[in-house]
Amino acid sequence: GDAALQTEFGSAEVEFVGRRGTVRFYETNLGNLIAETYREKLKADISIVNGGSIRDSLYAGKINYENILYYLGFTLDRLGKKDKALAKMEKLLTLNPDNANALNFVGYTLLELGGQMERAKNYLQRAVALKPDDAFILDSYGWLLYRTGQRQAAMKQLEKAYSIKPDEGVVAEHLADIYVSLDLPRKALTVYEHALKSGGDREFVARVQTKIA
């Protein structure tokens, strides 16, 4: 339970920077740590990490089991091991059902995998209730609403997420997609163009450029 999650494994003397506005454009110590971990794990000569895959900082102070489970799950996902990533996050949730970031991760992953929309909805609604002003959680929930045909409700969630994180490319892309579905082409074009200015990996840029071509 809570006691197990708070078991300390060490401490960080400095913040390992993973803030999206920084890690997307600059080298950070957290990016270097993750890249080096990948390199050692995969026995590669070099390793490069896409900054867009890093969701949060690891803050200075005590590092406990809850931190480790979350970052391990996220790292497994980045390595393409979704089943193992889900298992770690769901284990975290058995120990702390109120970890909003883990709820968001599991809910969005189930949404993307398809076939378990009710479970995804349950996880994401709980995450929104815990963190109603978290742009990434609002984005996930809004995208679920869109995927289940609730476009007006989806627009409301995504507009709020976009107002909080206007420079988060995927949030902008999702909002623009919803505008297209609601036959609001001018709004969609404006937001797509902003998404491109926000930056992203080659796959993201190519995908958005195709949508506005």
Side-chain angles (χ1 to χ4, degrees):
D2 290 343
L5 285 177
Q6 299 309 314
T7 300
E8 294 175 20
F9 288 88
S11 63
E13 294 183 359
V14 298
E15 176 186 350
F16 284 86
V17 178
R19 292 186 299 275
R20 299 301 287 265
T22 302
V23 79
R24 277 184 158 229
F25 302 104
Y26 304 100
E27 180 179 0
T28 72
N29 53 357
L30 181 57
N32 290 339
L33 175 64
I34 294 171
E36 182 62 17
T37 301
Y38 285 173
R39 189 190 66 77
E40 290 188 7
K41 180 70 175 177
L42 299 173
K43 296 181 171 56
D45 293 325
I46 62 171
S47 176
I48 300 173
V49 174
N50 176 1
S53 70
I54 300 174
R55 288 299 184 96
D56 201 359
S57 296
L58 181 61
Y59 297 100
K62 298 172 183 177
I63 299 173
N64 58 33
Y65 189 45
E66 186 168 4
N67 301 140
I68 291 172
L69 273 178
Y70 180 78
Y71 283 103
L72 178 58
F74 198 83
T75 300
L76 287 167
D77 181 66
R78 295 300 96 191
L79 291 170
K81 300 179 179 180
K82 287 194 178 293
D83 288 344
K84 290 185 176 180
L86 274 172
K88 293 297 180 186
M89 292 294 188
E90 289 179 326
K91 181 178 181 180
L92 193 164
L93 289 171
T94 64
L95 297 169
N96 179 10
D98 292 332
N99 186 305
N101 292 331
L103 288 167
N104 182 49
F105 179 95
V106 175
Y108 190 80
T109 301
L110 292 174
L111 170 63
E112 289 297 287
L113 292 174
Q116 298 190 61
M117 290 301 190
E118 280 303 313
R119 278 190 72 204
K121 180 180 178 181
N122 177 265
Y123 281 116
L124 293 175
Q125 284 182 332
R126 286 162 59 195
V128 170
L130 289 162
K131 285 188 172 183
D133 295 317
D134 185 297
F136 301 113
I137 292 174
L138 292 169
D139 171 67
S140 297
Y141 184 51
W143 197 238
L144 178 139
L145 293 170
Y146 169 70
R147 291 278 294 273
T148 54
Q150 301 173 72
R151 292 179 294 177
Q152 288 288 344
M155 181 177 68
K156 182 178 178 180
Q157 296 296 322
L158 262 297
E159 284 182 337
K160 183 176 179 181
Y162 184 64
S163 72
I164 296 168
K165 290 281 188 182
D167 294 324
E168 180 54 45
V170 173
V171 173
E173 181 192 9
H174 283 170
L175 176 58
D177 287 349
I178 291 169
Y179 283 151
V180 169
S181 76
L182 291 170
D183 196 25
L184 298 168
R186 290 185 179 179
K187 283 190 171 184
L189 179 60
T190 298
V191 179
Y192 279 139
E193 289 176 342
H194 188 78
L196 287 176
K197 290 178 182 177
S198 299
D201 59 25
R202 290 182 180 179
E203 180 183 347
F204 169 80
V205 171
R207 187 173 67 240
V208 175
Q209 285 177 333
T210 298
K211 291 176 180 180
I212 63 177

